[in-house]
Amino acid sequence: MKLNTNSNVYTIVYASVMVIVVAFCLACVSELLRPRQEANVANDKRSQILAALNIRNVENVQKEYDCVLLHDMVIDINGAILQEEGGFNVDSKQIMAKDDAAKRLPIYVCKVESDTLYVFPLFGRGLWGELWGYLALKDDFRTVYGIFMSHASETAGLGARITEEQFQDKFVGKKTFSEGDFSNVLLGVKKKVEVPGSEVDAITGATLTSNGVDEMFKTSLAPYKKFFETSVTHAASIN
């Protein structure tokens, strides 16, 4: 029986078969490429953590990351260690869980030259979308060693400037908290700087993005309050 290639039935059947074949091929390709995609995502995350440690543009990200990382612990909201290792695999939903009991907070403990540093993830929202990054603190948990920030869709030349090293370098040496008090996060971005030791000038023309970064510091560091207090107290008792 010869099909009528000009009929509507033929067109519908042909189109349906092609859609199924193409969908099947795309699904196969996606599945085959999944390991490589996941590896690229993981490597990008490592490079962001390294950037917070002021280690940028390295040839072998994996090797450099393994070299500086001591361990990546996971703690709860009370500062108790849940896992000695595995923080790298904690996702943003666990970190930002609304229920404090469900929060899983990663900490990357690193060694750069003779300094033991602690890297914390940052999550926030800017003018058009999500903001994120990593903040590296010295072992007093008050002094910024370095920072990396990025965004989903901030305005080029304005809010997108948070990704520039020139802007990020302004945070180096700033104080996150006042001495002995981890109740209030002082690190911030302000249109009018009132605490020079902790605040950075907002980006001109990008007020909402600047406000988003300022809020990001507060919401991201606040859950680690108990850990900071316990760690500092422990260090003081040893000394």
Side-chain angles (χ1 to χ4, degrees), residues 141-172:
F141 303 111
R142 297 182 57 247
T143 309
V144 175
Y145 182 86
I147 189 172
F148 169 86
M149 288 184 286
S150 192
H151 64 89
S153 53
E154 298 307 292
T155 307
L158 295 174
R161 287 181 55 203
I162 65 170
T163 64
E164 297 176 1
E165 287 184 47
Q166 184 178 5
F167 178 70
Q168 296 174 9
D169 286 345
K170 294 179 180 180
F171 293 91
V172 176

Side-chain angles (χ1 to χ4, degrees), residues 195-206:
V195 187
S198 296
E199 296 171 350
V200 166
D201 287 316
I203 298 172
T204 303

Side-chain angles (χ1 to χ4, degrees), residues 174 186-190 192-201:
K174 297 295 183 181
L186 300 180
L187 187 67
V189 179
K190 303 293 183 182
K192 183 179 180 182
V193 172
E194 297 179 351
V195 187
S198 296
E199 296 171 350
V200 166
D201 287 316

Side-chain angles (χ1 to χ4, degrees), residues 55-91:
I55 303 172
R56 303 172 186 260
N57 304 316
V58 295
E59 291 186 6
N60 192 326
V61 172
Q62 175 79 67
K63 182 178 180 181
E64 188 67 29
Y65 178 82
D66 291 341
C67 182
V68 301
L69 182 73
L70 297 179
H71 54 273
D72 53 342
M73 68 176 76
V74 182
I75 66 169
D76 64 15
I77 194 72
N78 296 312
I81 297 176
L82 302 176
Q83 298 173 223
E84 291 288 350
E85 308 292 343
F88 190 85
N89 297 319
V90 175
D91 61 32

Side-chain angles (χ1 to χ4, degrees), residues 9-222:
V9 172
Y10 177 86
T11 302
I12 293 171
V13 171
Y14 180 82
S16 299
V17 170
M18 289 303 297
V19 167
I20 293 171
V21 170
V22 171
F24 177 76
C25 291
L26 289 175
C28 289
V29 171
S30 176
E31 199 62 31
L32 287 172
L33 293 177
R34 186 185 301 276
R36 182 178 297 180
Q37 292 171 340
E38 292 176 348
N40 288 339
V41 169
N43 226 33
D44 182 57
K45 183 175 179 177
R46 293 186 188 96
S47 69
Q48 293 179 21
I49 294 171
L50 289 174
L53 295 165
N54 302 316
I55 303 172
R56 303 172 186 260
N57 304 316
V58 295
E59 291 186 6
N60 192 326
V61 172
Q62 175 79 67
K63 182 178 180 181
E64 188 67 29
Y65 178 82
D66 291 341
C67 182
V68 301
L69 182 73
L70 297 179
H71 54 273
D72 53 342
M73 68 176 76
V74 182
I75 66 169
D76 64 15
I77 194 72
N78 296 312
I81 297 176
L82 302 176
Q83 298 173 223
E84 291 288 350
E85 308 292 343
F88 190 85
N89 297 319
V90 175
D91 61 32
S92 58
K93 291 181 180 179
Q94 294 173 295
I95 298 172
M96 299 185 293
K98 292 183 178 180
D99 181 7
D100 283 349
K103 285 184 182 292
R104 296 296 179 266
L105 308 170
I107 303 174
Y108 303 88
V109 186
C110 305
K111 195 82 169 181
V112 178
E113 296 180 349
S114 60
D115 294 318
T116 299
L117 306 166
Y118 296 79
V119 181
F120 303 88
L122 302 171
F123 292 98
R125 186 165 184 84
L127 173 59
W128 303 113
E130 294 179 351
L131 306 176
W132 66 87
Y134 292 92
L135 178 69
L137 300 180
K138 294 187 177 181
D139 57 8
D140 62 354
F141 303 111
R142 297 182 57 247
T143 309
V144 175
Y145 182 86
I147 189 172
F148 169 86
M149 288 184 286
S150 192
H151 64 89
S153 53
E154 298 307 292
T155 307
L158 295 174
R161 287 181 55 203
I162 65 170
T163 64
E164 297 176 1
E165 287 184 47
Q166 184 178 5
F167 178 70
Q168 296 174 9
D169 286 345
K170 294 179 180 180
F171 293 91
V172 176
K174 297 295 183 181
K175 298 299 181 182
T176 51
F177 303 92
S178 59
E179 189 169 0
D181 181 9
F182 294 100
S183 300
N184 298 308
V185 179
L186 300 180
L187 187 67
V189 179
K190 303 293 183 182
K191 188 173 182 180
K192 183 179 180 182
V193 172
E194 297 179 351
V195 187
S198 296
E199 296 171 350
V200 166
D201 287 316
I203 298 172
T204 303
T207 301
L208 292 181
T209 304
S210 298
N211 290 345
V213 172
D214 186 80
E215 185 64 21
M216 178 171 69
F217 291 143
K218 292 173 173 55
T219 57
S220 298
L221 291 178

